[in-house]
Amino acid sequence: MSEIDRHDEMSGLHSEPFALAVDAMGGDGGPDVVVSGLAIAADRHPGARILLVGDESRLIPLLARYPKAAAICEVRHAASSISMDMKPTAALRVRDSSLRKVMDAVAAGEAAGVVSAGNSGAMLALAKIVVKTLPGISRPAMAAISPSMKGDVVMLDLGANVACDWRNLVEFAVMGEAFAKAVLGLPAPTIGLLNVGAEELKGDEKLRQAAEILRESPLASQFHGFVEGHDITAGTTDVVVTDGFTGNVALKTGEGAMKMASGLFRKVFTSSLPGRVAYFLVRPALERMKDWLDPRRYNGAVFVGLNGVVVKSHGGTDAEGFASAVDVAMDMVTHDFNDGIRSRLLPMASLTANRSNAEPERETVA
Amino acid sequence: MSEIDRHDEMSGLHSEPFALAVDAMGGDGGPDVVVSGLAIAADRHPGARILLVGDESRLIPLLARYPKAAAICEVRHAASSISMDMKPTAALRVRDSSLRKVMDAVAAGEAAGVVSAGNSGAMLALAKIVVKTLPGISRPAMAAISPSMKGDVVMLDLGANVACDWRNLVEFAVMGEAFAKAVLGLPAPTIGLLNVGAEELKGDEKLRQAAEILRESPLASQFHGFVEGHDITAGTTDVVVTDGFTGNVALKTGEGAMKMASGLFRKVFTSSLPGRVAYFLVRPALERMKDWLDPRRYNGAVFVGLNGVVVKSHGGTDAEGFASAVDVAMDMVTHDFNDGIRSRLLPMASLTANRSNAEPERETVA
């Protein structure tokens, strides 16, 4: 059937059987983490119906140990699985992998979305070929949520597209806004384009073109303009849009800096006896801070711009983290994430139709 | 005289009169901060001779208040100055600005280097046109030092070149290595190319080309290969090389994350009475941590790849910070920073001579 038919059917899918198809074999923890994660998810989404795909001989006994998970899951056997280090091109050739079968379930309209803790590259490649790109979107993107001083911020692209043009950036803005609405529950998320300065002339032509289009678009009132690296944690905007290379580096650089900071703080409390005493005095506050920064709150990343919801749980996550990934997927399904994108894309088409996509040299910033 | 003559003359300059030409009018603090900063610098570099350029009527009385600074400074009058927000193109037309005159002093061989807390864009534009690019370098870059868990790390480019090719990246590696030797005093600094993954196939063609050249170059034993965002604060390598767009975003994102972390940590100590008690217990450790992270330790950025040392102090710095910028400049002058670059470039020329500079699409990373 045509893509249009399929996703029109899908947009109603959250009211039908399988909300999600879950890859039981992905991630470092394998089925044990996935199934125990689903037991936690079952408490939060008692109505959910999960198609659990993987090695039956391992899943049946596991579900017996987790009745809560068993209550919402139906098992589908998959004879093989995609290893974490398999090249995407190789993964595409494995027809009976659990990752392939969850994608097939979405393509067939059996499930509205996918959750896997498996190989990101294989996941994106399979999603593009099996689930397919949303009509009107030129390239899917990888989005994630990171903390800021003003609340959570949606960042995309984080590496699905290492090189982008202005059209991609505009589409990322549309998808990021819909994601912030569906998952963060913001009524009118603000959007910033990541650049090396806030001035209109900074950065390169594709950034200026994307900004110009967004200023003329239905998102104009939510478009803040250019933001800089420090604006991400400052929470200047709810959504930060950038190309996949810059986004990937920025996300990992921010995580690295936070890790260095926590390491320094730990030293403050462990390097002396008074420090250890102080630790007990501020322990509750420190725990609150830790929870607030807990990456498991919103675990992993999401591939947006596909004919279905595709959520990537962090490979090294635990049950709690996997349950959070399921939360994100359920939010996207129940809030008709893709409908939000479609309704935005329609009026924008005219704005982008007659523009060339040539890209001159970037200007210097210093 | 030709560039070659000039810099051959310059390489010996640190033994001649003016070590540095200092722009007294740049920065938010103006001459007061600059002159009091030079008073601090005078203690650390008693032998240094400084050409202090700016408004005589303000500098003479200030130097009378700071005899230590007066002892190492000679004043040269400049009738005008470049404002912090003046466009580089406009700044180039002002012939009698203090910023122009410090650059002229280096071009004339009167001084080996420049320190200014002024307008970065104007500084880069004037340096390129007056001091000129080092022979064998296609484009100057902006470098800075940032803290990591293993010690200080040199990052470049931070925005002088928003778009770069493999040739620029290779030259940045050469200049970053020389900078780490001269300023951090490392005998054999390790070098990493910032990318979205450590695997050889990640990123785009210009990154793979640059890596290939560095592996064949005299820097091969110090070249670590690709590094990711989190490697910057992990201190995986002593030098991190990237294009000016990514470097600018990464630097500001890391600073933003550290700022958020300190804000959260402050809250731990101020949100409760036990917290305030705890604060007094760990105050010494906190102070040590603050000093260690103090941006004034190495203040501002450096423009490398020019026929002289060009150091940009942060515009909002205080006297201590300006003195640190002078330290950096003095280190670069006394350690023949540019000779270090020249000696590396020579054997590399053959490696880069026969390569095209075409750049295909980047690969996806996810």
Side-chain angles (χ1 to χ4, degrees):
Chain A
M1 85 185 90
S2 88
E3 283 183 15
I4 307 297
D5 299 329
R6 191 194 317 137
H7 70 70
D8 283 356
E9 198 178 277
M10 277 184 51
S11 55
L13 257 185
H14 57 274
S15 58
E16 291 170 21
F18 305 120
L20 300 173
V22 172
D23 170 15
M25 312 308 286
D28 312 335
D32 303 64
V33 166
V34 170
V35 173
S36 51
L38 287 172
I40 299 170
D43 282 330
R44 302 183 192 158
H45 315 281
R49 291 211 45 244
I50 307 289
L51 180 65
L52 186 62
V53 183
D55 179 354
E56 241 169 12
S57 65
R58 293 184 63 184
L59 296 180
I60 305 294
L62 261 173
L63 286 169
R65 277 174 42 208
Y66 293 97
K68 278 182 175 172
I72 61 166
C73 288
E74 182 173 311
V75 174
R76 177 170 297 174
H77 182 67
S80 70
S81 60
I82 304 297
S83 67
M84 296 302 269
D85 55 4
M86 189 184 281
K87 290 249 166 299
T89 45
L92 289 176
R93 290 191 294 269
V94 185
R95 296 262 159 202
D96 58 0
S97 73
S98 55
L99 189 56
R100 173 62 182 247
K101 287 192 163 186
V102 288
M103 298 292 177
D104 287 338
V106 173
E110 281 185 286
V114 160
V115 180
S116 173
N119 180 325
S120 309
M123 209 170 158
L124 176 60
L126 274 164
K128 276 179 173 173
I129 284 182
V130 178
V131 176
K132 294 204 168 62
T133 304
L134 201 61
I137 295 293
S138 37
R139 294 213 210 126
M142 191 185 219
I145 298 168
S146 64
S148 89
M149 290 184 259
K150 286 196 198 154
D152 293 317
V153 169
V154 173
M155 262 188 82
L156 74 171
D157 178 22
L158 300 176
N161 312 282
V162 180
C164 296
D165 57 27
W166 57 261
R167 191 182 301 273
N168 301 128
L169 294 173
V170 169
E171 291 170 6
F172 296 168
V174 169
M175 298 190 286
E177 195 254 359
F179 185 69
K181 274 183 174 164
V183 177
L184 300 183
L186 302 172
T190 55
I191 303 159
L193 256 181
L194 193 57
N195 199 347
V196 291
E199 305 81 355
E200 279 204 17
L201 285 172
K202 292 286 188 182
D204 60 12
E205 183 56 24
K206 72 170 183 290
L207 281 165
R208 285 190 289 272
Q209 287 252 16
E212 200 179 300
I213 292 166
L214 288 168
R215 283 195 202 93
E216 301 164 2
S217 79
L219 289 172
S221 61
Q222 290 158 259
F223 180 57
H224 174 282
F226 293 137
V227 292
E228 301 182 67
H230 50 80
D231 288 307
I232 300 169
T233 46
T236 306
T237 58
D238 303 312
V239 180
V240 175
V241 172
T242 186
D243 66 86
F245 189 90
T246 310
N248 184 280
V249 167
L251 185 81
K252 290 172 179 172
T253 302
E255 286 173 351
M258 293 299 290
K259 197 173 163 213
M260 176 167 75
S262 358
L264 289 167
F265 298 157
R266 206 171 296 108
K267 238 179 49 258
V268 167
F269 290 114
T270 52
S271 57
S272 71
L273 176 60
R276 286 187 285 276
V277 176
Y279 174 74
F280 286 102
L281 289 169
V282 294
R283 196 176 195 160
L286 284 173
E287 291 302 327
R288 277 196 303 278
M289 172 174 147
K290 226 172 110 258
D291 295 345
W292 188 76
L293 291 173
D294 187 351
R296 299 177 309 172
R297 241 183 351 143
Y298 297 108
N299 172 37
V302 173
F303 290 110
V304 294
L306 294 155
N307 268 325
V309 168
V310 180
V311 174
K312 162 79 174 77
S313 164
H314 193 286
T317 194
D318 58 9
E320 188 53 51
F322 195 84
S324 305
V326 172
D327 289 337
V328 170
M330 290 300 289
D331 279 339
M332 292 173 76
V333 169
T334 52
H335 292 99
D336 297 313
F337 171 68
N338 278 347
D339 287 348
I341 295 174
R342 278 188 286 267
S343 63
R344 288 293 195 190
L345 283 177
L346 219 55
M348 317 238 335
S350 59
L351 292 171
T352 59
N354 315 321
R355 283 174 185 266
S356 84
N357 221 335
E359 183 183 340
E361 272 282 88
R362 280 166 161 166
E363 279 187 6
T364 68
V365 51
Chain B
M1 87 188 89
S2 88
E3 282 182 16
I4 307 297
D5 299 331
R6 191 195 315 134
H7 71 69
D8 282 353
E9 200 177 276
M10 276 183 54
S11 53
L13 256 185
H14 57 277
S15 59
E16 290 172 22
F18 299 119
L20 299 174
V22 171
D23 170 14
M25 311 309 284
D28 311 336
D32 304 63
V33 165
V34 171
V35 173
S36 51
L38 287 172
I40 299 170
D43 282 330
R44 303 182 193 160
H45 314 280
R49 292 212 46 244
I50 308 288
L51 179 65
L52 185 62
V53 182
D55 178 352
E56 240 168 12
S57 64
R58 294 184 63 186
L59 297 180
I60 304 296
L62 262 173
L63 286 170
R65 278 175 40 211
Y66 294 95
K68 279 181 176 173
I72 61 166
C73 287
E74 182 174 311
V75 174
R76 177 170 296 174
H77 182 66
S80 71
S81 60
I82 304 297
S83 67
M84 294 304 267
D85 55 4
M86 188 183 282
K87 290 248 167 299
T89 46
L92 289 176
R93 289 192 294 269
V94 186
R95 297 266 157 197
D96 58 359
S97 74
S98 56
L99 189 57
R100 172 63 181 247
K101 288 193 163 185
V102 288
M103 299 292 177
D104 287 338
V106 173
E110 281 185 285
V114 160
V115 180
S116 173
N119 181 325
S120 309
M123 210 171 156
L124 176 60
L126 274 165
K128 277 179 174 173
I129 285 184
V130 178
V131 176
K132 294 201 166 63
T133 304
L134 200 62
I137 295 294
S138 38
R139 292 212 211 127
M142 191 184 218
I145 299 168
S146 65
S148 89
M149 290 184 260
K150 286 196 199 153
D152 293 316
V153 169
V154 172
M155 263 187 81
L156 74 169
D157 178 25
L158 300 176
N161 310 282
V162 180
C164 297
D165 57 29
W166 58 262
R167 191 181 301 273
N168 300 130
L169 294 172
V170 169
E171 290 170 6
F172 296 169
V174 169
M175 297 190 287
E177 195 254 1
F179 185 68
K181 273 183 174 164
V183 178
L184 300 184
L186 301 172
T190 55
I191 303 158
L193 256 181
L194 192 57
N195 198 347
V196 291
E199 304 82 355
E200 280 205 17
L201 285 173
K202 293 285 190 183
D204 60 13
E205 184 57 22
K206 72 169 182 289
L207 281 165
R208 285 190 290 274
Q209 287 253 18
E212 201 179 298
I213 292 166
L214 288 168
R215 281 194 203 91
E216 302 164 2
S217 78
L219 289 172
S221 60
Q222 290 158 261
F223 179 56
H224 173 280
F226 294 137
V227 293
E228 300 182 66
H230 49 79
D231 288 305
I232 300 169
T233 46
T236 306
T237 58
D238 303 312
V239 180
V240 174
V241 172
T242 185
D243 66 87
F245 189 90
T246 310
N248 185 279
V249 167
L251 186 82
K252 290 172 178 170
T253 302
E255 285 173 350
M258 291 299 291
K259 196 174 162 208
M260 176 167 75
S262 352
L264 289 166
F265 206 53
R266 203 171 298 109
K267 230 160 84 235
V268 167
F269 290 112
T270 52
S271 58
S272 71
L273 176 61
R276 286 188 284 276
V277 175
Y279 174 74
F280 286 102
L281 290 169
V282 294
R283 196 176 198 159
L286 284 173
E287 290 304 325
R288 276 194 304 278
M289 177 177 126
K290 231 174 105 254
D291 295 344
W292 188 77
L293 290 173
D294 186 352
R296 298 178 310 172
R297 246 188 340 149
Y298 296 109
N299 172 37
V302 173
F303 290 110
V304 294
L306 294 154
N307 268 325
V309 167
V310 180
V311 173
K312 162 78 174 81
S313 162
H314 192 286
T317 194
D318 58 9
E320 188 54 51
F322 195 84
S324 304
V326 172
D327 289 337
V328 171
M330 288 300 290
D331 280 339
M332 293 172 75
V333 170
T334 53
H335 292 100
D336 297 311
F337 170 68
N338 278 346
D339 288 348
I341 295 173
R342 278 189 286 267
S343 63
R344 288 292 195 194
L345 284 176
L346 216 57
M348 311 216 11
S350 59
L351 292 170
T352 59
N354 315 321
R355 285 174 185 265
S356 83
N357 221 334
E359 184 182 340
E361 272 284 86
R362 280 165 162 168
E363 279 185 5
T364 68
V365 53

